[in-house]
Amino acid sequence: VYKRQILLSIGYAACHWCHVMERESFEDRATAEYMNEHFVPVKVDREERPDIDAIYMEAVQSITGQGGWPLTVFLDPDGVPFHGGTYFPPDSSRGMPSIMTVMEAVVQAFEERRDEIRSQSENVRTRLGAVALVSAPQGDLDPALPEERAAAIASSVDLDHGGFGPAPKFPPASVLDFLLARGQTEPVEVTLDRMAAGGIYDQIGGGFSRYSVDDVWLVPHFEKMLYDNALLARTYVHGWQELGHERYRRIAIETLDWAVNEMRDRAGGFYASLDADSEGVEGLFYTWTGSELREVLGDRANAVMEAFGASDEGNFEGRNVLHFPSGVPPAALDDELATAAGDLITARSERIRPALDDKVLCSWNALMITALAEAGAVFERPDYVETAKQCADFIWDEMRDRQGNLLRSWRQGEARLNAYLEDHAFLLEGMITLYESCFDPAVFARAVAVAETMIDRFADPDRGGFFSTSHDHEELIARRKDIGDHPIPSGSSSAALGLLRLADLTGEARYRRHAEGVLKLLAPATTRQPGAFGHLLQALDLYFSPDGEVAVVWPDGAGRQTAEPLIRAYRERYRPRTVLAGGPQGSSSPPLLEGRTTPAGQSSAFICRDFSCRAPVTEPAELSAGLAADRTS
């Protein structure tokens, strides 16, 4: 039976305009009655079902030339899209067609052109699955590609305000990490400074909003997403390692503290997001009028308002987004400003808070594991490493089914939905980073298990790369492969980077071959928009320019503390092209440690390339010098 079309609405909890359309359009009685009479309405959370979102987002972009959320798509009875858009208001007063006008036009078109729509459905299916049908090009990859892409990206930076391109501006964490790896520090420094000084950063509570609606990072779209904060915290750690600015260390710590204090479930996982709205007003929780600031701060108000760029007129709809007008955040708030910030936090805590999306997503939690583990190791914060371990244990214990397969989403004790490629790939990267922070062989064993499962269930043996859904996933109108790294890394890029790192720790060439398949498949796409492939470019950089492997071994029974000076020397710089293993003499997991012995009973470090190692060093300065030589060679 080919009778009723489907009205598909895709959104997410922290989406401002999703809530507006729900309130204004879907909850209108006449609209709802017409919708239920003529359509099968389906509501989808894009964060739980990125596979569905990706298919229909591509469809709407091809129909209208643009996309976004809420995503509103009209499908034939078989689920094939034939019309769509984003936000449709309750009436046409805003210069856009109303939702009722659109529905009536769709119903008429479906009645009058039903056979035509049906005849085109196979072509639409093919087009939406086209990326998965592309085979990796033959021949070798170009080793000049990372340097060329880094130069192209660096040349496009906004050196006045940071970031790339016009408003709106999204935090480009993966791109900044890639530029740091290639020694392009100027674009990174200006972007990290402007973001951290701007209103996109919560100057008194920590954490970043999703993006800036302007090109100076002043006024954000106020929702806070777990993934942005995990990625950005890690980038600020890397910025501190490479540039040495204490302000980057502060921002990283404040961001992670915000996540741990406000976004963590007692079970050990992290929630997805905070809404932009409270009391129906976007940004109300985070912004201040001049009179509100004066009421809280009293005689200190003028000085504090000047420091935070606030005024009685305001900089956002009569209210103030707090920021540092100089464009460079301080290394630390002075005593007066810190006290004032504490008073403002206390006052803000009395406000009605934005709604919390309390679902726990596997992939986003894996990003937080990576950030906490790396920051904990670099800043010598064992509490961060322990929190990362607890999150990893939570995923392993609570977010797998009876067969041991990962699940996508958890909420209030119930895990559900098949995990996607990004869940496995991000978790692989997270487990490797966690291992490098704690040297627990059990964590490394989990990394290997995730990699094997990912290869078994997602790899495309015919054309290379990985599908975004597993071989046993429910059948949709198209099976896709992840491509771009915006706003978060794609599952494909993450899989390549994780497998390359795992290959360096294990010596297993099979992992490298699967990563190479991804790189060959997707590298051509970096030509036109290199800034959209920051994570993939990191993988390509590691593939072409590995700085080797480092194994730190301590005498059996002596304890890891004897090796800490060597480990600290390794972590003094950002080393994205190196992997680190550590353990007592006699360890065999990961294989990089196998056969490494300590001379004269001293903790030692081995600098290796493809498991062929130089003579061990026992002094931190020797290790630093050896790694620096590799880095510049």
Side-chain angles (χ1 to χ4, degrees):
V1 178
Y2 194 79
K3 291 185 176 179
R4 261 182 122 182
Q5 62 265 50
I6 298 164
L7 196 164
L8 173 64
S9 176
I10 303 176
Y12 58 99
C15 168
H16 169 72
W17 288 103
C18 299
H19 294 307
V20 171
M21 187 168 175
E22 178 182 14
R23 183 173 63 250
E24 293 183 346
S25 299
F26 295 149
E27 293 181 2
D28 175 74
R29 180 177 293 276
T31 301
E33 289 176 351
Y34 188 88
M35 186 185 303
N36 288 324
E37 180 182 353
H38 295 279
F39 299 91
V40 177
V42 177
K43 187 77 172 172
V44 169
D45 182 342
R46 68 172 296 264
E47 295 167 352
E48 289 196 317
R49 294 301 304 263
D51 54 338
I52 293 175
D53 178 63
I55 290 171
Y56 294 109
M57 179 62 74
E58 181 180 345
V60 169
Q61 287 173 332
S62 69
I63 293 168
T64 68
Q66 59 186 1
W69 299 278
L71 190 66
T72 309
V73 198
F74 297 92
L75 321 177
D76 72 15
D78 294 326
V80 179
F82 63 91
H83 187 65
T86 53
Y87 167 75
F88 292 114
D91 56 52
S92 58
S93 61
R94 303 180 195 181
M96 295 181 282
S98 70
I99 182 64
M100 184 67 80
T101 299
V102 173
M103 288 193 298
E104 290 172 344
V106 165
V107 168
Q108 181 179 355
F110 192 74
E111 289 298 324
E112 296 175 356
R113 299 165 46 210
R114 186 174 307 209
D115 292 340
E116 178 187 346
I117 290 171
R118 189 171 193 177
S119 68
Q120 293 174 352
S121 65
E122 192 58 39
N123 290 336
V124 174
R125 288 174 184 266
T126 301
R127 186 172 68 249
L128 292 175
V131 172
L133 300 177
V134 176
S135 296
Q138 298 297 312
D140 295 331
L141 288 160
D142 181 3
L145 191 151
E147 184 62 28
E148 292 174 356
R149 300 297 183 266
I153 294 171
S155 69
S156 67
V157 71
D158 179 349
L159 288 175
D160 292 322
H161 306 301
F164 305 90
K169 281 185 175 176
F170 290 79
S174 293
V175 170
L176 298 179
D177 286 337
F178 169 63
L179 292 177
L180 273 181
R182 298 301 309 180
Q184 296 274 6
T185 58
E186 185 181 17
V188 177
E189 185 170 19
V190 67
T191 302
L192 292 182
D193 279 345
R194 300 300 186 268
M195 288 194 302
I200 192 174
Y201 184 69
D202 184 350
Q203 299 295 344
I204 62 173
F208 288 86
S209 295
R210 184 165 173 252
Y211 66 88
S212 173
V213 302
D214 52 49
D215 65 353
V216 296
W217 308 104
L218 174 60
V219 178
H221 201 33
F222 289 89
E223 68 263 40
K224 287 184 176 180
M225 314 298 294
L226 184 69
Y227 62 74
D228 281 321
N229 286 282
L231 291 166
L232 285 167
R234 192 178 180 212
T235 300
Y236 277 91
V237 173
H238 300 158
W240 179 79
Q241 288 175 296
E242 284 300 285
L243 298 168
H245 299 319
E246 193 62 24
R247 58 187 181 268
Y248 296 163
R249 176 188 175 105
R250 174 176 74 85
I251 297 299
I253 288 174
E254 289 179 359
T255 299
L256 292 173
D257 286 349
W258 165 79
V260 171
N261 293 332
E262 295 195 28
M263 302 298 287
R264 192 173 181 229
D265 188 271
R266 276 183 270 179
F270 287 82
Y271 302 133
S273 63
L274 287 171
D275 276 11
D277 305 359
S278 56
E279 302 180 66
V281 180
E282 183 181 4
L284 182 63
F285 181 76
Y286 299 102
T287 57
W288 305 81
T289 64
S291 60
E292 288 171 340
L293 290 169
R294 294 184 186 284
E295 181 178 352
V296 173
L297 299 171
D299 294 341
R300 301 166 293 164
N302 286 340
V304 173
M305 289 171 66
E306 181 178 1
F308 278 133
S311 66
D312 290 309
E313 294 77 23
N315 53 36
F316 171 63
E317 298 179 358
R319 302 180 65 82
N320 287 282
V321 181
L322 303 184
H323 66 291
F324 287 101
S326 69
V328 179
L333 302 185
D334 62 34
D335 291 344
E336 180 181 9
L337 207 55
T339 300
D343 292 340
L344 291 172
I345 280 288
T346 299
R348 198 172 80 173
S349 68
E350 300 297 319
R351 296 176 174 177
I352 296 174
R353 296 179 60 81
L356 172 70
D357 181 1
D358 64 352
K359 67 176 179 285
V360 175
L361 296 173
C362 181
S363 63
W364 299 6
N365 274 254
L367 293 175
M368 187 54 71
I369 290 169
T370 301
L372 284 164
E374 189 159 3
V378 171
F379 296 153
E380 299 185 20
R381 287 283 301 265
D383 56 323
Y384 284 169
V385 177
E386 180 58 30
T387 301
K389 283 183 180 180
Q390 291 172 5
C391 187
D393 288 342
F394 167 79
I395 290 175
W396 209 252
D397 296 338
E398 302 295 332
M399 297 190 70
R400 296 192 300 161
D401 63 18
R402 292 180 180 178
Q403 289 74 44
N405 292 323
L406 280 176
L407 298 172
R408 169 70 174 178
S409 182
W410 179 97
R411 184 175 182 271
Q412 297 182 359
E414 180 185 359
R416 66 194 197 101
L417 302 174
N418 290 339
Y420 299 93
L421 174 63
E422 71 170 44
D423 297 298
H424 291 77
F426 292 5
L427 188 59
L428 170 59
E429 287 202 73
M431 289 296 188
I432 291 173
T433 306
L434 180 56
Y435 166 75
E436 290 179 313
S437 74
C438 66
F439 305 128
D440 182 348
V443 173
F444 181 75
R446 288 179 177 177
V448 172
V450 171
E452 292 292 341
T453 299
M454 183 175 72
I455 291 169
D456 180 58
R457 299 180 67 208
F458 293 86
D460 180 354
D462 299 322
R463 296 182 174 88
F466 293 87
F467 293 105
S468 59
T469 55
S470 60
H471 299 318
D472 55 355
H473 195 79
E474 68 181 281
E475 185 175 350
L476 301 175
I477 64 169
R479 191 178 184 200
R480 299 171 53 84
K481 291 180 180 177
D482 294 340
I483 301 180
D485 297 327
H486 190 70
I488 63 175
S490 73
S492 296
S493 301
S494 178
L497 189 54
L499 288 171
L500 287 173
R501 293 178 63 77
L502 192 61
D504 286 345
L505 287 164
T506 63
E508 176 58 67
R510 184 168 57 95
Y511 297 145
R512 185 174 176 85
R513 286 197 300 272
H514 278 287
E516 188 179 66
V518 174
L519 300 181
K520 286 188 172 182
L521 187 68
L522 299 184
T526 67
T527 303
R528 303 180 83 179
Q529 289 185 303
F533 295 92
H535 214 71
L536 182 72
L537 291 171
Q538 291 178 63
L540 282 161
D541 193 41
L542 174 59
Y543 177 78
F544 283 120
S545 308
D547 287 339
E549 312 94 38
V550 174
V552 177
V553 181
W554 49 90
D556 191 19
R560 173 181 158 173
Q561 66 273 12
T562 63
E564 284 301 328
L566 292 168
I567 296 168
R568 191 174 294 117
Y570 174 87
R571 290 174 176 155
E572 67 189 2
R573 298 294 299 273
Y574 174 41
R575 306 190 192 279
R577 296 190 289 263
T578 308
V579 294
L580 176 66
Q585 181 171 296
S587 299
S588 59
S589 178
L592 179 59
L593 294 174
E594 195 166 357
R596 314 294 176 213
T597 58
T598 57
Q602 290 182 284
S603 291
S604 307
F606 298 78
I607 301 176
C608 312
R609 180 67 63 89
D610 297 329
F611 275 54
S612 177
C613 302
R614 305 176 201 165
V617 298
T618 58
E619 294 298 323
E622 294 178 285
L623 176 59
S624 296
L627 290 169
D630 280 349
R631 186 174 173 139
T632 57
S633 62

Coordinates of all heavy atoms in Angstrom, one line a residue, residues 236-237 239-240 245-254 331 378-381:
Y236 N 43.0 23.1 24.5 CA 43.7 24.1 25.4 C 44.8 23.4 26.2 O 45.8 24.1 26.5 CB 42.7 24.7 26.4 CG 42.0 25.9 25.7 CD1 40.8 25.7 25.0 CD2 42.5 27.2 25.7 CE1 40.1 26.8 24.4 CE2 41.8 28.2 25.1 CZ 40.7 28.0 24.4 OH 40.0 29.1 23.8
V237 N 44.7 22.1 26.5 CA 45.8 21.4 27.1 C 47.0 21.4 26.1 O 48.2 21.7 26.4 CB 45.4 19.9 27.4 CG1 46.7 19.1 27.8 CG2 44.4 19.9 28.5
G239 N 47.5 23.5 23.7 CA 48.0 24.9 23.5 C 49.0 25.2 24.7 O 50.0 25.9 24.5
W240 N 48.6 24.8 25.9 CA 49.5 25.0 27.0 C 50.8 24.3 26.8 O 51.9 24.9 27.1 CB 48.8 24.5 28.3 CG 49.7 24.7 29.5 CD1 49.9 25.9 30.2 CD2 50.5 23.7 30.2 NE1 50.7 25.7 31.3 CE2 51.1 24.4 31.3 CE3 50.7 22.4 30.0 CZ2 52.0 23.7 32.2 CZ3 51.5 21.7 30.8 CH2 52.1 22.3 31.9
H245 N 51.3 29.2 27.7 CA 50.5 30.2 28.3 C 49.6 29.6 29.4 O 48.8 28.7 29.2 CB 49.5 30.9 27.3 CG 50.3 31.5 26.2 ND1 51.4 32.3 26.3 CD2 50.0 31.6 24.8 CE1 51.8 32.7 25.2 NE2 51.0 32.3 24.2
E246 N 49.8 30.2 30.6 CA 49.1 29.6 31.8 C 47.6 29.9 31.6 O 46.8 29.1 32.2 CB 49.6 30.3 33.1 CG 49.2 29.7 34.3 CD 49.7 28.2 34.5 OE1 50.7 27.9 33.9 OE2 49.0 27.5 35.2
R247 N 47.2 30.8 30.8 CA 45.8 31.1 30.6 C 45.1 29.8 30.0 O 43.9 29.6 30.2 CB 45.6 32.3 29.8 CG 46.2 32.4 28.5 CD 46.0 33.8 27.8 NE 46.6 33.9 26.5 CZ 47.9 34.3 26.3 NH1 48.6 34.6 27.3 NH2 48.3 34.4 25.0
Y248 N 45.8 29.1 29.2 CA 45.3 28.0 28.5 C 45.1 26.8 29.5 O 44.1 26.1 29.4 CB 46.1 27.5 27.3 CG 46.3 28.5 26.2 CD1 47.3 28.4 25.3 CD2 45.4 29.6 26.1 CE1 47.4 29.3 24.2 CE2 45.5 30.5 25.1 CZ 46.5 30.3 24.1 OH 46.7 31.3 23.1
R249 N 46.0 26.7 30.4 CA 45.8 25.7 31.5 C 44.6 26.0 32.3 O 43.8 25.1 32.6 CB 47.1 25.7 32.4 CG 47.0 24.7 33.6 CD 48.2 25.0 34.5 NE 48.1 24.2 35.7 CZ 48.8 23.1 35.9 NH1 49.7 22.6 35.0 NH2 48.7 22.4 37.0
R250 N 44.4 27.3 32.6 CA 43.2 27.7 33.4 C 41.9 27.3 32.7 O 41.0 26.8 33.3 CB 43.3 29.2 33.7 CG 42.0 29.7 34.4 CD 42.1 31.2 34.8 NE 42.0 32.1 33.7 CZ 40.9 32.5 33.2 NH1 39.7 32.1 33.6 NH2 40.9 33.4 32.2
I251 N 41.9 27.7 31.4 CA 40.6 27.4 30.7 C 40.3 25.9 30.6 O 39.2 25.5 30.7 CB 40.7 28.0 29.2 CG1 40.9 29.6 29.3 CG2 39.5 27.7 28.4 CD1 39.7 30.3 30.0
A252 N 41.4 25.1 30.3 CA 41.2 23.7 30.3 C 40.6 23.1 31.6 O 39.7 22.3 31.6 CB 42.5 23.0 29.9
I253 N 41.2 23.6 32.7 CA 40.8 23.1 34.0 C 39.4 23.5 34.3 O 38.6 22.7 34.8 CB 41.8 23.5 35.1 CG1 43.1 22.7 34.9 CG2 41.3 23.3 36.5 CD1 44.3 23.2 35.8
E254 N 39.1 24.8 34.1 CA 37.8 25.3 34.4 C 36.7 24.6 33.5 O 35.6 24.3 34.0 CB 37.7 26.8 34.1 CG 38.4 27.6 35.1 CD 38.4 29.1 34.9 OE1 37.8 29.5 33.8 OE2 38.9 29.9 35.6
A331 N 45.8 35.0 32.8 CA 46.3 33.7 33.3 C 45.5 33.3 34.5 O 45.3 32.1 34.7 CB 47.8 33.8 33.6
V378 N 48.9 15.3 31.8 CA 49.7 16.4 31.6 C 49.8 17.4 32.8 O 50.9 17.9 33.1 CB 49.2 17.2 30.3 CG1 49.9 18.5 30.2 CG2 49.4 16.4 29.1
F379 N 48.6 17.6 33.4 CA 48.6 18.5 34.5 C 48.9 17.8 35.9 O 48.8 18.5 36.9 CB 47.2 19.2 34.6 CG 46.9 20.1 33.4 CD1 45.6 20.3 33.1 CD2 47.9 20.7 32.7 CE1 45.3 21.2 32.0 CE2 47.6 21.6 31.6 CZ 46.3 21.8 31.3
E380 N 49.1 16.5 35.8 CA 49.4 15.7 37.0 C 48.2 15.9 38.0 O 48.3 16.2 39.2 CB 50.7 16.1 37.7 CG 51.9 15.9 36.8 CD 53.2 16.1 37.4 OE1 53.3 16.1 38.7 OE2 54.2 16.3 36.7
R381 N 47.0 15.6 37.4 CA 45.8 15.6 38.2 C 45.2 14.2 38.2 O 44.4 13.8 37.4 CB 44.8 16.6 37.5 CG 45.1 18.0 37.7 CD 44.7 18.6 39.0 NE 43.3 18.4 39.3 CZ 42.4 19.3 39.1 NH1 42.7 20.5 38.6 NH2 41.1 19.1 39.4

